[in-house]
Amino acid sequence: MIAIIDYDAGNTFNVQKALAYIGFDAVLTADPETILNVDGVLLPGVGAYAPAMAVLKERGLVDVIHEVVKRDIPLLGICLGMQLLFEESEEYGPTPGLGLIPGKVKEIPRNLGLSVPHMGWNKNVVHQPHSAERGRVYGMQFHPEKSGVVGLNLLRTFGTITKTYRAAGE
């Protein structure tokens, strides 16, 4: 079972639907006990960094997420959820993050001529085998649940990682 953390900042319906489509059971929850008793945890996200962190703190989920990592339960952050894994964001001023991956999330410079926030159908190009990763904490800046076969394969890979976590505990 995969827990999708419910903190009102995610594309949770599509994530849950994509996981079901590829054969993984998932539950949308903010309940600490449920989150700590699954095979994997997914932190989706759409929106702004500071308000998302505020809701995670308000619901007591920051400590729960840290306990997930302490227990070595696989954790995947998607889009804003990936950004929250880092130590800090400079979006609209410095805001501390979860601190699970070293580094700072920087704003897209406005002088590049890109729309901010940058959204659209871009092609993903792999420059290195792994992007945001530390131990069993993984992050994807884009939305795999909206990225066709490639995105579903990435979610399938995460699902397979959660099965190895379950097998190690048996």
Side-chain angles (χ1 to χ4, degrees), residues 25-79:
D25 292 327
V27 59
L28 177 64
T29 185
D31 176 61
E33 186 175 333
T34 301
I35 294 169
L36 294 173
N37 287 291
V38 294
D39 306 313
V41 177
L42 207 148
L43 179 63
V46 175
Y49 195 99
M53 277 304 299
V55 173
L56 287 174
K57 288 178 185 174
E58 180 182 296
R59 294 188 181 177
L61 293 170
V62 171
D63 291 338
V64 174
I65 293 169
H66 281 271
E67 184 63 24
V68 163
V69 174
K70 182 179 174 186
R71 293 184 185 190
D72 209 26
I73 300 170
L75 170 65
L76 172 62
I78 293 176
C79 197

Side-chain angles (χ1 to χ4, degrees), residues 27-151:
V27 59
L28 177 64
T29 185
D31 176 61
E33 186 175 333
T34 301
I35 294 169
L36 294 173
N37 287 291
V38 294
D39 306 313
V41 177
L42 207 148
L43 179 63
V46 175
Y49 195 99
M53 277 304 299
V55 173
L56 287 174
K57 288 178 185 174
E58 180 182 296
R59 294 188 181 177
L61 293 170
V62 171
D63 291 338
V64 174
I65 293 169
H66 281 271
E67 184 63 24
V68 163
V69 174
K70 182 179 174 186
R71 293 184 185 190
D72 209 26
I73 300 170
L75 170 65
L76 172 62
I78 293 176
C79 197
L80 175 61
M82 183 214 70
Q83 294 177 17
L84 297 171
L85 300 174
F86 287 89
E87 296 169 309
E88 180 181 49
S89 173
E90 63 180 32
E91 179 187 54
Y92 305 115
T95 304
L98 294 168
L100 301 174
I101 298 177
K104 180 191 288 189
V105 177
K106 297 187 173 220
E107 284 187 280
I108 296 174
R110 306 248 179 214
N111 63 355
L112 295 179
L114 298 171
S115 60
V116 178
H118 185 67
M119 298 181 291
W121 293 100
N122 299 311
K123 184 174 181 170
N124 290 321
V125 178
V126 177
H127 291 284
Q128 57 190 27
H130 300 283
S131 182
E133 176 186 359
R134 185 174 193 199
R136 286 190 178 236
V137 177
Y138 311 93
M140 299 177 194
Q141 178 58 47
F142 66 100
H143 288 275
E145 76 280 6
K146 293 183 174 184
S147 299
V149 173
V150 172

Side-chain angles (χ1 to χ4, degrees), residues 144-166:
E145 76 280 6
K146 293 183 174 184
S147 299
V149 173
V150 172
L152 291 176
N153 282 338
L154 289 168
L155 286 175
R156 189 175 287 112
T157 298
F158 179 71
T160 301
I161 291 168
T162 68
K163 287 184 177 182
T164 63
Y165 172 77
R166 181 181 332 133

